[in-house]
């Protein structure tokens, strides 16, 4: 009888041990399956910084190496969207940071990070816009963006937009806050503002007038919100041109 009881106890121990080992084996397989599934999948804490970027400076150089002496490859236009590869480096000589970018035509090269807004969306100011340090009316500054200033919107909060760009009256790229209602993201407005800016930068009044009239006469720009403003600029330049002509006549007399 005692032998039978011992045999039963031994058999129970063996069965329990097998179940435990089986459970451990299943758990191991489950972990292995989980590891395989997760392999190659970016984690939430991924260091990938690549993404679309907006150029904030007209004729921004793209070079084959990340320094000012690198071979010039091409240039970017103010407001142009490019792809930032996520690669960046600091020029040991100038101490300036460079981003590696890829243009829509496939060209790749290095450009100054200061003049790029990663993850930004291009926009243009519709009117004079007060500048704020933070999205709070109490932080208003004494500076403003002007109509047709092209910027990049880098974030939004309620009816505020954090923008990055250079003011017509400014010297440097700034990152500040404005009211979102001041900004247009229409491609026709952005393009009209870009070419109007180039026109108004020409050396003589006559050249400015000619370039601005080309915008007015171009049917592709007929829907821009800036048409009246551009026409006002033309009239202003024409008036100034007449004053110059009158002064020249008086000098000759």
């Amino acid at each position: 009888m005692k032998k039978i009881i011992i045999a039963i106890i031994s058999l129970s121990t063996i069965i329990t041990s097998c179940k435990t080992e089986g459970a451990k084996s299943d758990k191991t397989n489950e972990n292995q399956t989980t590891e395989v599934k997760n392999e190659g999948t970016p984690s939430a804490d991924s260091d990938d910084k690549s993404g679309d970027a907006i150029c904030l400076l007209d004729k921004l150089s793209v070079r084959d190496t990340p320094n000012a002496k690198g071979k010039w490859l091409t240039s970017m236009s103010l407001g142009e969207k490019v792809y930032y590869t996520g690669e960046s480096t600091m020029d040991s000589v100038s101490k300036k940071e460079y981003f590696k970018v890829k243009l829509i035509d496939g060209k790749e090269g290095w450009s100054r990070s200061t003049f790029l807004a990663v993850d930004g969306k291009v926009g243009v100011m519709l009117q004079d816009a007060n500048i704020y340090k933070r999205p709070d009316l109490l932080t208003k500054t004494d500076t403003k963006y002007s109509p047709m200033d092209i910027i990049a919107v880098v974030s939004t909060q309620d009816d505020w937009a954090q923008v990055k760009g250079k003011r017509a009256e400014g010297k440097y790229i700034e990152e500040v806050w404005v009211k979102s209602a001041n900004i247009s993201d229409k491609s026709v407005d952005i393009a009209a503002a870009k070419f109007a800016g180039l026109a108004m930068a020409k050396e003589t009044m006559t050249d400015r007038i000619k370039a601005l009239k080309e915008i007015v006469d171009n049917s592709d720009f007929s829907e821009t919100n800036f048409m009246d403003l551009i026409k006002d600029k033309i009239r202003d330049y024409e008036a100034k041109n007449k004053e110059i002509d009158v002064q020249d006549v008086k000098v000759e007399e």
Side-chain angles (χ1 to χ4, degrees):
M1 185 68 178
K2 186 181 294 185
K3 290 182 178 180
I4 294 174
I5 293 173
I6 292 172
I8 293 173
I9 293 173
S10 298
L11 181 61
S12 298
T13 302
I14 292 171
I15 293 172
T16 302
S17 176
C18 288
K19 285 183 178 180
T20 303
E21 289 298 322
K24 287 181 179 180
S25 177
D26 290 343
K27 186 67 176 178
T28 301
N29 290 336
E30 182 181 337
N31 289 339
Q32 288 175 345
T33 302
T34 302
E35 288 175 4
V36 170
K37 285 182 179 179
N38 289 337
E39 185 177 345
T41 304
S43 67
D45 298 327
S46 174
D47 291 331
D48 183 16
K49 297 178 181 179
S50 63
D52 290 335
I54 302 300
C55 175
L56 301 174
L57 182 69
D58 201 39
K59 298 180 180 179
L60 178 62
S61 294
V62 180
R63 301 183 182 277
D64 67 341
T65 55
N67 54 67
K69 293 184 178 180
K71 179 183 177 183
W72 185 89
L73 301 175
T74 186
S75 62
M76 293 182 280
S77 171
L78 172 63
E80 183 177 352
K81 184 168 74 172
V82 299
Y83 182 73
Y84 169 47
T85 66
E87 295 180 67
S88 65
T89 188
M90 190 74 71
D91 179 8
S92 59
V93 178
S94 66
K95 305 301 180 183
K96 294 175 181 177
E97 186 180 35
Y98 283 78
F99 284 171
K100 189 173 186 181
V101 297
K102 183 175 183 179
L103 280 61
I104 194 171
D105 62 0
K107 287 188 177 70
E108 291 189 22
W110 297 85
S111 289
R112 289 276 309 281
S113 63
T114 301
F115 305 111
L116 293 166
V118 179
D119 293 331
K121 294 183 178 180
V122 65
V124 60
M125 294 297 169
L126 291 167
Q127 56 205 358
D128 287 332
N130 290 320
I131 288 177
Y132 298 82
K133 295 178 181 179
R134 291 173 289 281
D136 187 327
L137 292 174
L138 295 175
T139 65
K140 177 181 173 297
T141 69
D142 294 331
T143 56
K144 293 183 178 182
Y145 273 108
S146 302
M148 296 196 291
D149 280 348
I150 295 175
I151 48 81
V153 177
V154 295
S155 69
T156 58
Q157 182 175 317
D158 299 326
D159 59 345
W160 294 90
Q162 187 178 24
V163 302
K164 187 176 180 180
K166 191 180 85 67
R167 296 179 292 113
E169 304 299 326
K171 294 182 179 180
Y172 310 103
I173 300 294
E174 301 171 298
E175 192 164 322
V176 295
W177 292 84
V178 298
K179 285 288 189 175
S180 300
N182 294 307
I183 303 170
S184 169
D185 61 359
K186 291 173 59 177
S187 59
V188 67
D189 286 338
I190 295 164
K194 158 69 186 300
F195 289 110
L198 292 176
M200 292 185 289
K202 290 187 176 296
E203 189 173 348
T204 68
M205 293 290 181
T206 301
D207 288 338
R208 294 176 190 177
I209 294 168
K210 180 182 177 181
L212 288 173
K213 283 185 174 180
E214 288 176 357
I215 297 173
V216 173
D217 295 338
N218 188 334
S219 60
D220 292 339
F221 293 123
S222 60
E223 298 299 319
T224 180
N225 285 300
F226 299 123
M227 189 57 70
D228 289 340
L229 179 58
I230 292 171
K231 289 179 178 179
D232 286 342
K233 287 288 184 182
I234 292 173
R235 285 190 286 268
D236 181 49
Y237 288 144
E238 287 177 335
K240 289 179 178 178
N241 234 4
K242 287 180 181 178
E243 290 177 5
I244 293 172
D245 291 340
V246 170
Q247 290 174 357
D248 289 343
V249 170
K250 287 182 178 179
V251 169
E252 290 178 4
E253 291 177 348

